[in-house]
Amino acid sequence: MSERFDVLAVGAGYAGGVAARALAERGKKVLVLERRDHIGGNAYDCLDKHGVLIHQYGPHIFHTNDKKVFDFLSRFTRWRRYQHRVIANIPRDNPEVVPAHKRTDGRFFFPVPFNLDSLKNAFGEREGGRLGEKLLAAYPAQSQVTILELRQNKDPEVAAIADYVYDHVFVQYTMKQWGQTPEEIDPATTARVPVRLSQDDRYFQDAYQGMPAEGYTPMFRRMLDHPNITVELGTDALARLDLSGESIKLDGQKFGGPVIYTGQADELFGFRFGPLPYRTLDFRFETLERDFFQSHGTVNYTADQDFTRITEFKHLTGQELTGTTTIVKEYSRAYTGAEGETPYYAIINPENNDLYAKYKAEAEKFGELHLLGRLAEYKYYNMDAIAGKALELAERL
Ligand code: FAD
Ligand code: UDP
């Protein structure tokens, strides 16, 4: 078996899928082993039993500034133009300033990332407008500012805005998502959702944004459809790989070519230094007999509820379906490694990075073993970043 293939890719998500295709086009015979019974990794989508196109592992919106990645993926899909917009849904705690038309059932809404319009929603048209001017004057050369940076501002009025945004957007959502405060987690994480010094209410500002017109899974199917690629689903590579000696063995025989491993680094080495900490999510899908449930693709519950956000897929996918819609609520908790749990988010901090470095050093003992992807590299990567890294690796190999 191992002699028939030049390259082994473990995992059929962005990392494994993009690398496999790019190498196959360079004439390499690639074997892709995937533990799940489907391709696409966490970007996998499918119709639910009501016929609604859903993302099984949480909402995925494609966005990138990397033209090379966009062009590569565009060979396997057309795109539906879509700009993701998110609002926060929070309990009304300041009734005198929230305009009546923005209130429903004691709750009100504002755009996230928090922007100049969010200020008006929160503080009323006049006062919000005045505070917006104040913010713009405080950061004349910037289009956005992170919440942690804003909280450093000494001006009492700017500090009051920072407190408001911290309390109403960040602290409770972050506690739900990470079990820690914004100060305790990697600053790059909250920096993903800055405070916008403009009225731009898009969640992402990248040059290329959209959804694969027929979904992610068909895009992956076309990507992996190449005479030099063989995909085996429902196959745990760890049952067939042997890293106990000096060289890598597959099915008991030496595998001489590159092995691109996109699963968990700790699992690959039998957790020998201890497990790497992750957060997992429980997804609760609900199908409702109505056209739409909410006004936006995603609504973040930043100040109450046990879930972090609700996404309604039809907004993202553009699927036209009357009288039926599916939503998903996301509940975050610590990953325990129990059967059926998925490690979704690496918990990035110096201690965990040190632990990861030990696994990375083990991998480096094998010249042909390449750790690639969100799990294997223990990083918080978006889809485009992984695709970009996979293309780079394929070029190097
Ligand atoms: P994965 O998609 O996890 O693929 C790894 C694959 O390897 C899996 O299919 C796994 O089954 C397989 N595998 C692991 N171990 C083995 C083994 N031993 N044998 C065989 N197979 C194995 N990014 C965006 O750009 N936009 C978004 O809107 C977005 N939303 C997200 C929402 C959520 C809730 C989450 C969790 C992530 C989101 N992401 C988003 C990030 C995106 O999911 C990742 O960047 C991307 O899926 C990473 O691809 P990957 O190939 O590294 O990993
Ligand atoms: N965040 C927040 N409130 C929000 C949105 C995001 O506090 O309304 C913080 C939170 O810590 C979250 C991080 O910003 O984990 C990154 O948010 P993003 O939406 O990028 O997370 P993802 O979609 O990757 O889960």
Side-chain angles (χ1 to χ4, degrees):
M1 161 70 83
S2 56
E3 279 158 30
R4 280 176 41 215
F5 295 101
D6 304 309
V7 179
L8 171 66
V10 176
Y14 270 90
V18 170
R21 178 70 187 217
L23 287 162
E25 288 178 352
R26 288 171 171 81
K28 304 285 184 200
K29 293 230 173 297
V30 187
L31 173 63
V32 180
L33 300 180
E34 170 56 60
R35 188 189 263 165
R36 292 169 170 166
D37 62 2
H38 60 73
I39 55 174
N42 286 342
Y44 172 72
D45 54 11
C46 60
L47 294 183
D48 67 12
K49 65 176 191 237
H50 308 278
V52 183
L53 181 58
I54 59 159
H55 298 175
Q56 189 151 311
Y57 307 97
H60 281 70
I61 298 105
F62 186 79
H63 56 102
T64 191
N65 284 317
D66 188 336
K67 184 167 187 307
K68 202 167 158 193
V69 165
F70 184 70
D71 288 345
F72 178 84
L73 296 176
S74 299
R75 293 172 47 208
F76 312 110
T77 187
R78 291 178 298 110
W79 297 95
R80 155 180 154 77
R81 280 170 171 273
Y82 174 73
Q83 305 257 4
H84 197 47
R85 288 186 166 79
V86 175
I87 54 170
N89 176 329
I90 67 176
R92 182 181 62 194
D93 61 355
N94 203 351
E96 59 290 354
V97 297
V98 180
H101 70 279
K102 306 251 189 234
R103 297 183 214 149
T104 322
D105 301 334
R107 308 193 61 91
F108 81 107
F109 312 90
F110 52 69
V112 175
F114 198 92
N115 67 17
L116 297 181
D117 285 331
S118 313
L119 262 179
K120 290 184 181 170
N121 291 359
F123 294 95
E125 204 53 36
R126 270 182 65 134
E127 180 62 359
R130 192 185 67 77
L131 291 172
E133 294 299 324
K134 187 92 206 187
L135 261 188
L136 289 173
Y139 300 94
Q142 284 174 239
S143 64
Q144 56 189 43
V145 52
T146 69
I147 185 60
L148 297 180
E149 194 185 347
L150 193 62
R151 296 254 288 168
Q152 303 293 317
N153 199 300
K154 296 276 185 288
D155 180 285
E157 268 191 333
V158 175
I161 300 170
D163 285 347
Y164 183 89
V165 180
Y166 184 84
D167 291 345
H168 292 81
V169 180
F170 285 97
V171 70
Q172 296 178 71
Y173 188 104
T174 300
M175 284 305 297
K176 284 190 274 185
Q177 177 72 7
W178 299 98
Q180 290 181 299
T181 65
E183 289 74 19
E184 289 167 329
I185 65 171
D186 180 18
T189 299
T190 47
R192 289 166 61 90
V193 183
V195 174
R196 290 259 165 80
L197 304 170
S198 68
Q199 289 175 301
D200 190 344
D201 64 346
R202 295 171 305 158
Y203 207 64
F204 310 112
Q205 293 182 315
D206 304 51
Y208 308 98
Q209 305 188 32
M211 300 291 294
E214 294 127 51
Y216 289 96
T217 307
M219 177 181 85
F220 272 92
R221 202 173 295 129
R222 288 188 280 263
M223 194 189 300
L224 290 166
D225 181 13
H226 188 284
N228 285 343
I229 299 179
T230 303
V231 181
E232 290 184 28
L233 297 178
T235 304
D236 188 342
L238 297 182
R240 293 172 56 181
L241 272 176
D242 178 359
L243 301 182
S244 63
E246 296 210 332
S247 55
I248 301 176
K249 284 190 187 150
L250 176 67
D251 300 329
Q253 289 183 15
K254 183 175 170 181
F255 188 85
V259 174
I260 301 173
Y261 177 83
T262 77
Q264 283 170 255
D266 51 358
E267 193 182 15
L268 179 60
F269 294 105
F271 304 97
R272 66 178 64 151
F273 306 115
L276 284 163
Y278 288 95
R279 299 290 288 180
T280 188
L281 297 170
D282 293 319
F283 297 109
R284 302 247 169 92
F285 293 87
E286 290 171 32
T287 300
L288 309 159
E289 286 183 12
R290 51 203 275 193
D291 291 346
F292 280 101
F293 168 76
Q294 61 190 25
S295 58
H296 288 64
T298 298
V299 176
N300 286 2
Y301 287 75
T302 57
D304 63 353
Q305 310 294 350
D306 293 334
F307 50 84
T308 51
R309 57 188 177 189
I310 300 183
T311 295
E312 182 168 25
F313 294 104
K314 281 167 67 181
H315 286 291
L316 275 51
T317 60
Q319 187 182 14
E320 285 178 24
L321 209 57
T322 311
T324 307
T325 189
T326 299
I327 60 171
V328 66
K329 296 178 181 162
E330 295 174 48
Y331 297 82
S332 174
R333 62 184 167 86
Y335 172 74
T336 67
E339 187 73 25
E341 267 182 14
T342 306
Y344 287 113
Y345 296 89
I347 303 175
I348 292 161
N349 62 37
E351 189 187 341
N352 296 349
N353 289 349
D354 287 349
L355 179 56
Y356 173 76
K358 293 188 188 169
Y359 287 111
K360 172 105 175 120
E362 285 300 290
E364 280 168 357
K365 291 182 187 162
F366 300 91
E368 291 288 9
L369 180 58
H370 304 274
L371 300 184
L372 180 75
R374 186 148 148 142
L375 290 170
E377 296 180 64
Y378 201 68
K379 289 235 166 75
Y380 198 154
Y381 280 137
N382 288 326
M383 297 183 276
D384 64 319
I386 302 287
K389 295 206 70 177
L391 290 176
E392 256 172 53
L393 177 63
E395 236 162 74
R396 258 191 289 134
L397 294 178

